[in-house]
Amino acid sequence: MSSPGPGPVSSGSPGSVSTASSPSLSVFSRNRLSIGVLPPQSPKKITFKMQQGQESALARDPRYADQSPEYYLKLLDNFDELQLTQRVYSPNTETLLGWVKRLWTSYCTFTRQDSKKALAAISAARLHNFFHWLLNQRQGRMRSISTLETYWKVFRLVHETETGGKIDKLTTRQMQGVLQQLAKLHDLTNKKRDKPTMYEEDLFQVIKTVWVSTEMTFDHEQHRVDLSLILILAGMLGTRPGALVEGGKNRGRNRVLCYKHVQVTLIRDPEGGAPCLLVEITLEYTKGFLGDKDANTFTLPELRYDPCLVLSPQVYFLGKAFADRAFAELDSPEQLFGLAIHSRCNQQRLPWKESMLDAPICRRSMAALHGVEISPTEPLRDSTVRPWAKRAGEETGFEQVVGPYTLRRAAGKEFDSSGAISDSLRNLIMQHAESRTFQKFYLSRHITADVQAIYRRLPSQDAVMRAAGGMSRTMDSRRPRKLTEAQSASVEHHPLVCKLRRKRDRLKATIRDRGMSIASQHGTYEQYKKIRQEYRNEKQRQRATLLIEVKERYKMEQPLIDIREQLEGQWTEEETQNPATEMPVYALPERSCAIDKLFTLPASSFEDERQRQIDAINAITAICSVQESRPRRRPRPMISASGTGRQMNAQSVSVPNLSLPPSPSKLSQVGPTQCIVCLGKKQLAYKDRIRSFHSVGDLKKHFHRKHLRHYKEGEAIECHLCGIALNGPMHFQNHAARVHGTRT
């Protein structure tokens, strides 16, 4: 029995339906009509009008290409088996393949062979000669057998890509002996690289150095917050660095952690009280072959009475979000923590502005007309963060190198030893296909289990064993971090450096003997630049090698010196105790305020604790908008009277009193050698704003190098002292001379 259809539509108001003529309407139909659902109507024919250029774009799209049988038959006839059957590699692998291919081409050019023919007729003898040549070329730089094996594996991929076939099994088996013989001939080591782990207490020391040390300087103070947040997230989430910042394989693709990947929410506290803040982070762009892996979402709830705000990711993230004005309706943490949850809901989502969804959370700094600014779209790069982390570890005094994988290994170990996380969940978090990957590449060979206590059935000394396996164990602020002037100058006497310097000087003298400048000799000048760069690279390489030797010598000799001094009674009581932390004077009051708010103890009441969090977030927001200039070149040290060492003349260096507030008179009155751009930039430190140059010429150099070279054509230049916009550099320079009496 068919159900009656809906009644006719009344001719009254549009959209109204008369139900009187259909008394047998089903309850479902009456309910549909009561909420204004119209009966189905015949669909209208929709036509699309293509814009100019869309037809050609569709023709180029393979989804809209010719779908006729002849089209596929033509594809079958033109199938390129060599090109279309090749594997698709990541950009990093493609770079490595190109590097080895260029090495093979250079070897064939050097030995007067055709690279393609030699590659097609590959043999164990040819491979032995190639890798022997390669080791000679990279003498002193290739020290490990594993590196040689990596070159061999990449070469096999290059051979397969270029020839379409694999190296035969006999040659592959013979190469095992060839590599062993070459490793023995060139004295390559088989020692595995150490796998240090950075636990939470080690990370605290590094973050403390980032904030407290005067040696840690950045182009913009927001990068101090970026580095802290990246290290904390890498430790807590155990993620790879490419998931947070821009890696080499994602260069220019904005495949980094953006605001759209983070959700801030207030949920009801199951135990009652104020709503609980959640920060949910989705790591979308991680390592993967032929596409990204499934994204993991991590939930980070706020810690009530957090014992250490300097390790709180919520404080750093909310501080950056308020500095970027990323929230749609919120301007301050006071407004955020004052929100309540509707009685009919269990959560209150805090949405972002649509314009901020694709904005990276950690962004690069860029030089602009008025100084260094944070780019609104360019993400921070992994190649920038790694040197920052390494320098922070060196300033902390760690013996091992601090990097993203020291945190990832520690996180994996904590996950593995936690009773709340199974092996399957650990593999999911670490994004490993099986447990073997974690065991082979992430577990440290330094056994931290108290095997003595286990064997003797005694209580395990967990705290001691954890301290024995952490990086803080190697902390030594006396460890040399850079070469002295004498050590750096000694590199000039190295045989390779002397050889390249003589080669450079001979070429330079040959050009000068012709009575012409070096730059005017085009072909010879390119050769001169190449040799000069090789000379500089070799000096840098020898300095790095010497620094490693100095650190190794310190590691062997300093313990003996300390023992000898203790036995002779030369140590005082202060030298055997933890050093007292003395707060230095910072150029930026915002940095001092941030340190005061981050390094605080939990409050006794919930209201005071909430205010403690708000103050810390506001301090992070404030420091994200200021800039502390890098320290300028220090005066050359003077030879002491005894001639045995170098000492600074304290009276020759004047240090401004940075604790005094900025003087309005100094900021409004412009001296003849002061830069009006720096003077009007409120984000700069006070000492950098009032800086006076030695001469007008130095002022002009500063203005052109730091400001004018970053001017964009057609851009108006604002004088922040007067609050007026000027039309271009000439107008600005005339204004500076006439109104402020300074020549730029």
Side-chain angles (χ1 to χ4, degrees), residues 186-204:
H186 292 271
D187 196 22
L188 301 183
T189 178
N190 196 26
K191 184 180 179 181
K192 299 297 183 182
R193 183 180 299 179
D194 189 21
K195 298 177 182 178
T197 52
M198 183 188 294
Y199 297 116
E200 177 235 0
E201 54 269 25
D202 309 322
L203 179 60
F204 170 78

Side-chain angles (χ1 to χ4, degrees), residues 212 214 239 275 277 287 332 349 362-363 541 623 663 714:
V212 176
T214 55
T239 182
L277 177 74
K287 181 180 179 181
S332 66
R349 296 177 64 252
C362 300
R363 302 185 297 278
R541 191 176 302 114
I623 202 173
S663 173

Side-chain angles (χ1 to χ4, degrees), residues 428-711:
L428 179 65
I429 295 175
M430 303 290 291
Q431 294 192 328
H432 292 158
E434 55 183 3
S435 298
R436 180 175 174 271
T437 304
F438 174 76
Q439 296 170 0
K440 183 176 180 180
F441 298 104
Y442 286 85
L443 273 182
S444 175
R445 299 307 174 195
H446 188 95
I447 307 301
T448 55
D450 192 354
V451 294
Q452 173 185 236
I454 295 173
Y455 181 76
R456 299 178 61 184
R457 293 181 295 178
L458 298 173
S460 178
Q461 303 182 70
D462 295 333
V464 175
M465 297 304 299
R466 183 180 177 89
M471 295 179 65
S472 297
R473 169 186 176 180
T474 65
M475 279 183 60
D476 187 353
S477 59
R478 304 171 301 172
R479 181 178 290 109
R481 297 187 293 272
K482 58 184 69 174
L483 297 176
T484 63
E485 291 186 2
Q487 291 170 341
S488 181
S490 67
V491 172
E492 295 287 350
H493 304 292
H494 192 275
L496 290 177
V497 176
C498 294
K499 180 180 178 180
L500 290 172
R501 184 173 63 248
R502 287 193 299 266
K503 191 175 181 180
R504 181 204 63 178
D505 293 342
R506 281 198 303 266
L507 185 60
K508 184 176 180 181
T510 302
I511 299 174
R512 291 287 172 83
D513 290 342
R514 298 174 184 174
M516 304 180 68
S517 63
I518 297 177
S520 62
Q521 302 289 318
H522 297 292
T524 311
Y525 182 56
E526 295 299 326
Q527 184 181 1
Y528 171 79
K529 287 198 301 182
K530 181 180 179 181
I531 296 175
R532 183 182 62 182
Q533 190 61 43
E534 291 178 359
Y535 166 67
R536 292 175 178 174
N537 292 345
E538 187 61 35
K539 284 202 304 182
Q540 191 68 20
R541 191 176 302 114
Q542 295 302 328
R543 287 194 182 101
T545 304
L546 180 58
L547 181 58
I548 294 175
E549 295 176 359
V550 169
K551 290 182 178 180
E552 288 296 326
R553 189 162 60 248
Y554 175 87
K555 181 180 178 181
M556 298 299 296
E557 297 177 358
Q558 190 61 41
L560 300 177
I561 297 174
D562 292 341
I563 294 173
R564 190 180 306 118
E565 290 180 351
Q566 288 190 69
L567 295 177
E568 295 175 357
Q570 298 181 15
W571 274 21
T572 61
E573 185 178 355
E574 289 77 9
E575 290 178 300
T576 60
Q577 298 177 353
N578 292 328
T581 302
E582 183 178 352
M583 184 65 66
V585 179
Y586 301 105
L588 292 171
E590 291 84 357
R591 184 176 175 186
S592 301
C593 178
I595 294 174
D596 291 339
K597 302 304 179 182
L598 290 174
F599 294 89
T600 56
L601 295 175
S604 57
S605 64
F606 177 77
E607 290 75 14
D608 294 340
E609 175 64 19
R610 182 65 81 192
Q611 188 61 44
R612 172 175 171 253
Q613 292 180 325
I614 291 175
D615 293 341
I617 295 173
N618 284 330
I620 295 297
T621 302
I623 202 173
C624 284
S625 61
V626 295
Q627 172 193 346
E628 182 178 10
S629 64
R630 293 179 179 270
R632 294 185 286 274
R633 183 178 300 176
R634 297 176 180 176
R636 293 184 63 85
M638 306 295 294
I639 301 294
S640 62
S642 61
T644 59
R646 293 178 176 267
Q647 61 182 8
M648 295 295 299
N649 186 357
Q651 296 180 353
S652 63
V653 182
S654 60
V655 180
N657 189 354
L658 303 178
S659 61
L660 295 178
S663 173
S665 60
K666 288 188 176 182
L667 296 179
S668 60
Q669 299 176 1
V670 184
T673 58
Q674 286 183 310
C675 177
I676 64 171
V677 178
C678 296
L679 200 62
K681 188 174 177 61
K682 297 181 179 179
Q683 292 82 1
L684 283 177
Y686 174 58
K687 67 180 183 66
D688 297 319
R689 295 177 66 184
I690 65 172
R691 176 188 176 190
S692 294
F693 292 86
H694 181 70
S695 64
V696 176
D698 291 339
L699 172 61
K700 290 182 178 180
K701 291 178 184 178
H702 163 82
F703 180 75
H704 283 264
R705 292 173 181 172
K706 297 295 184 181
H707 304 296
L708 196 57
R709 61 178 295 199
H710 305 295
Y711 170 74

Side-chain angles (χ1 to χ4, degrees), residues 202-213 216 224 228 310-311 316 396 475 579-581 586 591 595 599:
D202 309 322
L203 179 60
F204 170 78
Q205 297 294 339
V206 174
I207 301 293
K208 177 183 175 182
T209 300
V210 170
W211 283 97
V212 176
S213 175
M216 293 297 299
R224 195 180 305 276
S228 303
V310 76
L311 294 180
Y316 293 108
T396 306
M475 279 183 60
T581 302
Y586 301 105
R591 184 176 175 186
I595 294 174
F599 294 89

Side-chain angles (χ1 to χ4, degrees), residues 100-121:
V100 174
K101 183 179 178 180
R102 287 192 297 272
L103 287 174
W104 173 257
T105 304
S106 300
Y107 162 73
C108 292
T109 303
F110 179 75
T111 56
R112 301 182 182 89
Q113 301 181 67
D114 184 86
S115 60
K116 293 185 178 180
K117 293 181 180 179
L119 197 62

